[in-house]
């Protein structure tokens, strides 16, 4: 499915988010606060747009995704690309100062296993930043948003996506995803401490950040 949407993935993201995806990536980078000389894993990196932007910090940023189609689309970004499964990462223990995953944790078959693997490859005290779709905090807006997800989003995707039917899955996966507090609890239970979150765009997405717990 991800291979099929890869060709127009970035355009589709911008259209269905009304251009908010760029702002979300910028805020993710701000929270991640990478410094020259650090190593960062950008997991579920897709076409490596976010990886290339993060690399402007001077840190070494590696894009990792399990979709070869996505990685092929990102091969000219000028960043290292690694094919890998989030539940079985091809990196040694404590290899990174920071790990980030944007709009991809939902797509990991076992969220707990993915978070534990991210903790394994992060140095003690290292940083995790998760950008993920979440639950709008204002009830009337939440109702309108859910209606958009299930009805309008697949229709919009048909006009721009290379595989519009995949966006039915997207809408359903967002609706079924845990809310902000529940996700924070899952993160805290799998190798991370000091978990906090910040709502963006009224809670359409949330930025969760945490520190690697001591081993």
């Amino acid at each position: 499915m991800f291979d099929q949407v890869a060709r127009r993935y970035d355009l589709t993201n911008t259209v269905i988010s009304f251009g908010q995806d760029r702002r979300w990536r910028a805020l993710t980078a701000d929270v991640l606060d990478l410094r020259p000389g650090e190593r960062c894993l950008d997991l579920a990196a897709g076409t490596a747009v976010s990886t290339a932007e993060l690399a402007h910090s001077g840190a070494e940023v590696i894009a990792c995704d399990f979709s070869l189609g996505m990685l092929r689309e990102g091969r000219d970004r000028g960043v290292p690309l690694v094919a890998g499964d989030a539940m079985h990462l091809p990196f040694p223990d404590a290899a990174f100062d920071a790990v980030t995953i944007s709009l991809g944790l939902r797509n990991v078959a076992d969220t707990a296993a993915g978070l534990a693997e991210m903790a394994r490859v992060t140095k003690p005290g290292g940083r995790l930043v998760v950008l993920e779709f979440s639950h709008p905090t204002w009830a009337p807006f939440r109702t309108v948003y859910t209606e958009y997800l299930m009805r309008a989003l697949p229709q919009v995707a048909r006009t721009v996506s290379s595989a519009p039917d995949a966006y039915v899955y997207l809408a359903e996966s967002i609706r079924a995803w845990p809310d902000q507090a529940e996700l924070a609890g899952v993160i805290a239970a799998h190798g991370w401490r000091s978990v906090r979150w910040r709502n963006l765009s009224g809670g359409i997405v949330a930025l969760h950040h945490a520190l690697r717990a001591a081993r």
Side-chain angles (χ1 to χ4, degrees):
M1 181 183 71
F2 289 100
D3 289 351
Q4 291 171 351
V5 302
R7 183 170 57 85
R8 305 188 75 183
Y9 179 72
D10 299 311
L11 171 64
T12 305
N13 279 350
T14 298
V15 170
I16 66 175
S17 70
F18 300 100
Q20 289 294 297
D21 59 321
R22 298 186 179 106
R23 174 174 173 266
W24 297 339
R25 290 199 306 271
L27 291 169
T28 299
D30 287 346
V31 172
L32 198 56
D33 192 25
L34 293 174
R35 302 173 182 87
E38 290 190 316
R39 297 188 78 226
C40 175
L41 175 63
D42 186 13
L43 190 56
T47 65
V49 168
S50 57
T51 317
E53 292 174 351
L54 291 172
H56 292 156
S57 65
E60 178 190 359
V61 188
I62 296 173
C64 182
D65 201 286
F66 73 164
S67 166
L68 296 180
M70 288 285 191
L71 293 175
R72 278 192 291 269
E73 290 294 318
R75 62 187 178 273
D76 296 326
R77 302 277 186 208
V79 294
L81 306 176
V82 175
D85 179 349
M87 297 180 292
H88 305 281
L89 290 171
F91 304 104
D93 295 355
F96 297 97
D97 299 285
V99 175
T100 186
I101 181 167
S102 293
L103 309 180
L105 187 59
R106 240 177 35 263
N107 301 320
V108 178
D110 186 334
T111 304
L115 287 166
E117 268 293 88
M118 292 178 225
R120 180 186 66 78
V121 301
T122 305
K123 297 174 182 177
R127 311 184 297 285
L128 170 70
V129 177
V130 177
L131 174 70
E132 189 51 89
F133 287 108
S134 197
H135 294 241
T137 54
W138 188 44
F141 176 56
R142 187 162 57 243
T143 300
V144 172
Y145 174 65
T146 301
E147 190 74 7
Y148 167 71
L149 279 179
M150 300 313 297
R151 294 178 182 271
L153 187 150
Q155 293 297 327
V156 172
R158 283 190 177 88
T159 68
V160 291
S161 173
S162 52
D165 290 344
Y167 287 84
V168 175
Y169 157 79
L170 172 66
E172 292 172 346
S173 69
I174 293 172
R175 188 171 65 169
W177 188 245
D179 66 17
Q180 292 87 325
E182 186 178 352
L183 179 57
V186 176
I187 294 171
H190 293 91
W192 303 95
R193 62 176 175 83
S194 304
V195 184
R196 293 177 292 170
W197 73 85
R198 172 184 176 185
N199 290 313
L200 305 180
S201 303
I204 287 177
V205 299
L207 267 177
H208 284 73
H209 48 105
L211 300 176
R212 175 67 171 93
R215 296 184 185 279

